Amino acid sequence: MDSQTAVAPHSSQDPSTAGRLKPDSLGVLGILFFVLSAQAPLTGIAGAVPIAVVIGNGAGVPAAYLAAGVVILLFSIGFVAMGRHVVDAGAFYTYIGKGLGRSTGSGSAGVALFAYCAIQAAMYGLYGATVSGLVEHYADMRIAWWVWALVTMVVVQVLGAAGIEMGAKLLAVFVLAEFSILIAFAFVTFFKGGGPEGLGLADSFSPDAALQGAPGVALMFAVASMFGFEATAIYGEEAREPRKTVPRATYLSVAVVTGFFAFTSWMLVSAHGATQATAEAGKALESGDAAGWVFAPIAAEFGAWTGDVLPVLLATSLFAGILAFHNSANRYLFSLGREGLLPRGLTSLNRRHSPWAAGLVQTVIAVALVIPFALLAKDPVLTLFSWFSGVAVLAMMLLYFLTSVSVVVFFRRSRADTRPWNTLIAPVLGALGIAWAIWLIIENFTTLIGGDQATAVWLQLTVPAVLVLGLVVARVTRGRQTVTD
């Protein structure tokens, strides 16, 4: 049988696993690597931190990452509590449906799918431009960015169909490479006592430092950098002992991501000097090479060889993120097919119990999102990457908010878990923090996408439009199912 041969949802070959993703495939570390891949650590540090320093709160940016981590942690407490009672590849929409009704849950499924596909398309833009630049620099060949994007889509589709274990192993290599060099730099700088002005603990974490400039803008970029941690629940069906593995992976992911971004950004500020960091980041942005603000101190610490390695690691960082979001999106498509909200053919599994049909549809979506930018000769970084990153973050924050509200409603009704901190206090605090973050994102959306106000408005409107479309599709589909029954 070919590896792409579909296994019917109710195949008699293996009743225990028919129509379900392969169980017992991932442990805590495997899920953690998928989360860290979605975070794309080097991309987040090199892309977001310099901008947050310049237009945010300067040397106080590390405190913004710490604050964002606290908000996400509060959200995670209710998220984990719900996850102990619901294990499904649909994660967000299943959770939201449990508390706020199936229609709202189904509408949110459209938003989740939109968010994952949008962020993946955005990463294809930056990835294509990065690889094109590397090939031109080292091989003296000029190949359009979209060619590399399309070739990589084929590779991602093959890897996605090869099974979740293969993806986890490959992502582990890429994530460890980029994570290691950044954290090594951070620790070396820390143990050397910091840069020219010392460690500058108060310069980055004191209340005055945290609140200087535009702290809301810095928090917005910090929250955006943590996009993807919720994937821990998406892999619940494929996890070993999901009711233990998923909570552990979620808390570990939030702790690692928060600690990594706060600590690394602090050491970068320290390496430049708290009083000079903002000016240096401004010069890097004006030159069109924001990553230089990050790469320069690393090269000064470890040698000029990092100047060749870091751009390559940026490309592999983006590839890892693309693969991680491909896996997240195709599991949403698979789950929606299983629910009957999308064609049942999306539940087709190959011999590795991978959702190959859903993966193929996700790849087609990626092509559809990327090709127009190539045909119109748009800059892949200034348009595709910037626009879709911003709208994906806004969509995901809406899902976080709806999930927090749903957790409170679900446990008030079911009384399945009566712990007030886990099911009421933390989710409410998380919802308030997320609502504030959404307001900041909307208020500064033009800055986030690097575009004009008209473009910003149209992009923001796509999120409620997708939610409404999802609600309509859900009602029509269920109406047909009722008539059929």
Side-chain angles (χ1 to χ4, degrees), residues 377-388:
K378 294 290 186 179
D379 186 291
V381 178
L382 298 180
T383 57
L384 178 56
F385 176 71
S386 298
W387 295 0
F388 281 7

Side-chain angles (χ1 to χ4, degrees), residues 46-67:
V49 173
I51 301 173
V53 167
V54 173
I55 64 176
N57 58 347
V61 159
Y65 280 99
L66 203 58

Side-chain angles (χ1 to χ4, degrees), residues 217-239:
V217 174
L219 181 65
M220 175 187 69
F221 278 100
V223 170
S225 296
M226 295 186 181
F227 189 114
F229 86 94
E230 72 290 333
T232 53
I234 293 175
Y235 299 107
E237 280 189 33
E238 296 157 282

Side-chain angles (χ1 to χ4, degrees), residues 96-112:
I96 293 170
K98 289 290 183 181
L100 302 181
R102 293 182 68 188
S103 294
T104 304
S106 299
S108 68
V111 176

Side-chain angles (χ1 to χ4, degrees), residues 118-411:
I119 193 63
Q120 189 204 41
M123 296 177 88
Y124 270 122
L126 182 55
Y127 171 84
T130 300
V131 174
S132 180
L134 287 171
V135 172
E136 183 174 357
H137 178 74
Y138 291 108
D140 197 26
M141 295 171 57
R142 299 192 66 179
I143 300 176
W145 66 270
W146 55 267
V147 174
W148 296 111
L150 292 177
V151 169
T152 302
M153 288 177 194
V154 176
V155 176
V156 167
Q157 172 63 26
V158 171
L159 288 172
I164 200 72
E165 304 100 320
M166 177 66 73
K169 291 174 182 176
L170 183 64
L171 293 179
V173 174
F174 290 153
V175 169
L176 284 174
E178 61 181 296
F179 195 81
S180 295
I181 195 167
L182 288 170
I183 207 68
F185 161 78
F187 274 112
V188 167
T189 304
F190 178 80
F191 285 115
K192 285 180 64 176
E197 301 172 21
L199 290 173
L201 179 63
D203 293 320
S204 288
F205 293 103
S206 70
D208 287 342
L211 297 174
Q212 68 182 330
V217 174
L219 181 65
M220 175 187 69
F221 278 100
V223 170
S225 296
M226 295 186 181
F227 189 114
F229 86 94
E230 72 290 333
T232 53
I234 293 175
Y235 299 107
E237 280 189 33
E238 296 157 282
R240 290 187 287 273
E241 298 184 86
R243 284 177 174 78
K244 293 181 180 179
T245 301
V246 171
R248 291 171 184 171
T250 301
Y251 288 134
L252 183 60
S253 297
V254 174
V256 169
V257 169
T258 301
F260 169 77
F261 277 105
F263 183 51
T264 304
S265 61
W266 174 30
M267 288 301 99
L268 283 167
V269 168
S270 176
H272 286 280
T275 61
Q276 299 298 318
T278 303
E280 292 297 324
K283 292 178 183 176
L285 262 65
E286 288 176 8
S287 71
D289 181 24
W293 187 81
V294 174
F295 293 171
I298 295 177
E301 193 64 59
F302 295 144
W305 62 271
T306 60
D308 293 323
V309 172
L310 286 169
V312 175
L313 287 180
L314 178 59
T316 59
S317 171
L318 288 162
F319 178 82
I322 286 167
L323 180 57
F325 284 118
H326 171 82
N327 284 321
S328 294
N330 67 29
R331 277 150 182 78
Y332 258 90
L333 287 166
F334 170 86
S335 187
L336 289 171
R338 190 167 57 188
E339 289 284 322
L341 295 172
L342 289 178
R344 294 283 184 182
L346 292 172
T347 62
S348 295
L349 303 174
N350 60 21
R351 289 188 300 178
R352 295 179 179 272
H353 279 273
S354 295
W356 73 271
L360 185 60
V361 170
Q362 199 284 314
T363 299
V364 170
I365 293 173
V367 173
L369 291 175
V370 169
I371 285 298
F373 289 85
L375 294 176
L376 295 172
K378 294 290 186 179
D379 186 291
V381 178
L382 298 180
T383 57
L384 178 56
F385 176 71
S386 298
W387 295 0
F388 281 7
S389 292
V391 77
V393 169
L394 181 59
M396 191 55 66
M397 294 308 295
L398 174 61
L399 291 173
Y400 289 174
F401 179 77
L402 291 175
T403 301
S404 293
V405 174
S406 180
V407 167
V408 174
V409 174
F410 173 75
F411 286 113

